[in-house]
Amino acid sequence: MRRAIIFGSSVATIVLLACLWPVLGGSKVNARGAMCIAGHCCCTSRAEADTVAAKETHERLTLDPNQFDGPAKQAYQVAEKNPGLLAQLHCYCGCDREYGHQNLLDCYRSDHGSKCEICIGEALMAQQMSDQGSPVDQIRDAIRRRYAGDN
């Protein structure tokens, strides 16, 4: 009898945890079948949809790079030229918690990317590695190693 109670409560706990896991920020599978961990997804569906919508309405995905100088301008040029790449990368400056950013591309939709050395460094590093032929998973891992810290 005691084993049945322990087993039953264990099963109920597992079912409850499985139902609440996505709400608590755990892993989940998105509509395309890609695994998303803590809201950071490996697919580019959002960026692709945004790119198509922006082209159809002639809207910008990012701020105009000509508003900025130096490395900030270069980073905004990267975001403008390759939004699909930045949409697949997590930003480690903490803007996900502070501003609700879901990926590195979001940093360049406002002036946040121009004021943050981490955002600028990540975008420039991503472009350099992409130009060298590195796949996205290697770029993601390199950025994580360099910028993640306690984040």
Side-chain angles (χ1 to χ4, degrees):
M1 180 68 173
R2 196 175 215 189
R3 287 183 182 172
I5 293 172
I6 292 171
F7 178 74
S9 61
S10 298
V11 169
T13 302
I14 291 170
V15 169
L16 180 63
L17 184 59
C19 292
L20 293 176
W21 188 253
V23 175
L24 298 173
S27 300
K28 59 186 173 209
V29 176
N30 70 10
R32 294 181 60 186
M35 180 63 82
C36 297
I37 300 173
H40 304 293
C41 199
C42 301
C43 64
T44 61
S45 61
R46 178 177 171 214
E48 290 168 357
D50 287 351
T51 302
V52 169
K55 286 180 180 177
E56 289 175 359
T57 60
H58 303 292
E59 292 179 20
R60 299 185 68 87
L61 285 175
T62 64
L63 294 183
D64 184 356
N66 293 321
Q67 297 179 40
F68 308 101
D69 296 317
K73 181 175 184 172
Q74 292 173 318
Y76 276 87
Q77 288 170 333
V78 169
E80 180 179 56
K81 182 176 110 180
N82 202 347
L85 173 62
L86 271 57
Q88 296 179 73
L89 303 174
H90 178 68
C91 182
Y92 290 97
C93 77
C95 60
D96 56 338
R97 292 184 304 270
E98 191 169 336
Y99 303 115
H101 290 178
Q102 295 180 9
N103 54 53
L104 185 56
L105 180 62
D106 286 346
C107 300
Y108 296 96
R109 296 179 193 269
S110 68
D111 67 346
H112 169 74
S114 69
K115 303 175 198 173
C116 181
E117 291 181 23
I118 293 173
C119 297
I120 292 170
E122 286 185 30
L124 296 179
M125 182 178 184
Q127 185 63 51
Q128 180 183 19
M129 290 183 71
S130 178
D131 289 346
Q132 294 170 350
S134 298
V136 174
D137 58 336
Q138 285 182 2
I139 296 170
R140 189 180 301 115
D141 291 343
I143 288 174
R144 184 181 302 121
R145 281 192 304 274
R146 182 164 181 186
Y147 292 101
D150 294 332
N151 221 343

